Amino acid sequence: MINLERLRSLHAVGAYGSLHAAADALNVTASAISQQIAKLEREVGEPLLEKRGRGVALTDAGQLLTAHAERAFSVLREAEAELDARRAVVSGELRVGAFATAIRGLAPAALRRLSAEHPQLQVRLQEMEPVEAIALLERGDIDMAIAQDWFNRPLGVPEGLMRAPVYDDVADIALPADHPLANSSSVALSELAGEAWISWREGSICHDWLMFTLRGVGREPRVMHSALEYATQLSLVSAGLGAAVLPRLGRGAVPEGVCVVPVTPALTRHVYALWRSDAARRSAILAAVAAFSAKA
């Protein structure tokens, strides 16, 4: 019979891409991982890793074994979730990844509610982009993600994950106070397509959405500046350096020199919770989804 711990070591190398990354994930040394896999190779009678450049890669036999391992571990996680659902008390640790405005706008009240209703549950929250959160969720490095996408550019959700809607957020446009459209009751995005824009980091979901959406109204976007935080973007808008998209979720004070104008039709983004389907009955996840949805 194949040793489960040795199989876990091989599975970690496949999931994390290297011996050192797998060792970090399992809190052991790379040498220990290598020894476990060497023993597993003797058990199955085939090489499971091969050298590739400066690192290693799974052989065909290794890929076959890790695919079966993932299914086996999924069954074990499902069994753990079902046992957890039988307990009367929601307890343990829940690791949650969420994007910045969800942490600012939803997480404080949601975590306060969880702490009050389930004092034996410890929630660990990390800020991260949805794409990163999904990758960590698939690997089992976090238990739940609060993610977002936009009405016209949905985020792909891999097989094996489940989701539930949490909140629909609306975004407005922040303009310098002396902009000709600053005092409008609403604007069409096409009226602003030729503006200088202040965007997010290139490659982020929101930046890619802005580029896609502006190109959809027939203009190549002129992104002049980028900043991660909305407060920084607004300071640039206040200086007359461009326009920015400003979601309402988690919105702080708008500085002097900035006017916020609604868009017609509305720019909507969807916020939702994601978790692994094999953990669907885990009571901590159900409680967290309920808490985030109640706040929204």
Side-chain angles (χ1 to χ4, degrees):
M1 181 177 293
I2 294 175
N3 181 280
L4 188 61
E5 287 306 310
R6 295 168 190 168
L7 188 58
R8 194 179 300 278
S9 295
L10 179 69
H11 180 264
V13 172
Y16 293 95
S18 73
L19 289 170
H20 287 285
D24 289 342
L26 297 179
N27 294 315
V28 297
T29 64
S31 176
I33 293 285
S34 182
Q35 291 173 20
Q36 290 279 37
I37 293 175
K39 292 176 182 178
L40 185 60
E41 288 178 328
R42 290 195 291 272
E43 283 182 349
V44 301
E46 288 192 58
L48 301 173
L49 293 178
E50 59 186 3
K51 290 185 178 180
R52 185 169 298 174
R54 295 183 177 182
V56 295
L58 296 174
T59 64
D60 288 346
Q63 293 178 23
L64 176 67
L65 202 53
T66 54
H68 283 289
E70 175 55 35
R71 288 194 290 274
F73 293 142
S74 180
V75 170
L76 288 175
R77 285 190 294 267
E78 189 172 352
E80 289 173 350
E82 290 189 13
L83 287 172
D84 179 76
R86 293 165 58 92
R87 301 187 183 105
V89 176
V90 178
S91 61
E93 181 180 79
L94 185 72
R95 301 161 298 171
V96 180
F99 62 98
T101 50
I103 289 182
R104 188 163 59 249
L106 296 175
L111 297 192
R112 185 168 59 245
R113 171 175 170 159
L114 283 171
S115 178
E117 295 182 353
H118 309 291
Q120 295 186 47
L121 176 65
Q122 184 176 54
V123 180
R124 297 190 181 276
L125 182 67
Q126 294 177 278
E127 181 182 328
M128 60 187 68
E129 278 279 299
V131 172
E132 179 189 3
I134 287 175
L136 294 177
L137 188 58
E138 284 192 288
R139 285 206 311 239
D141 290 344
I142 60 175
D143 303 303
M144 193 178 93
I146 302 297
Q148 55 122 349
D149 61 18
W150 291 87
F151 69 102
N152 58 341
R153 196 170 174 85
L155 179 68
V157 176
E159 185 178 353
L161 300 185
M162 299 180 69
R163 68 176 172 181
V166 169
Y167 185 70
D168 279 351
D169 188 26
V170 175
D172 303 309
I173 302 296
L175 294 172
D178 60 358
H179 190 282
L181 297 174
N183 295 314
S184 302
S185 59
S186 69
V187 295
L189 197 60
S190 58
E191 296 179 80
L192 300 169
E195 296 289 326
W197 287 92
I198 299 158
S199 183
W200 299 266
R201 181 183 60 221
E202 188 173 349
S204 66
I205 281 180
C206 290
H207 173 83
D208 292 348
W209 164 80
L210 180 62
M211 302 294 284
F212 173 81
T213 302
L214 290 174
R215 286 168 181 155
V217 295
R219 297 292 293 270
E220 183 61 25
R222 290 197 304 125
V223 174
M224 303 304 295
H225 310 284
S226 63
L228 292 178
E229 297 183 351
Y230 287 107
T232 306
Q233 293 182 7
L234 290 177
S235 68
L236 296 173
V237 174
S238 178
L241 299 175
V245 175
L246 184 62
R248 296 177 186 176
L249 176 65
R251 181 183 297 178
V254 176
E256 290 186 12
V258 176
C259 287
V260 178
V261 184
V263 181
T264 304
L267 303 177
T268 306
R269 63 177 181 169
H270 309 297
V271 180
Y272 45 87
L274 290 166
W275 62 93
R276 294 177 64 107
S277 56
D278 52 32
R281 295 193 62 189
R282 188 178 169 195
S283 56
I285 290 175
L286 298 177
V289 171
F292 275 92
S293 300
K295 167 55 187 169

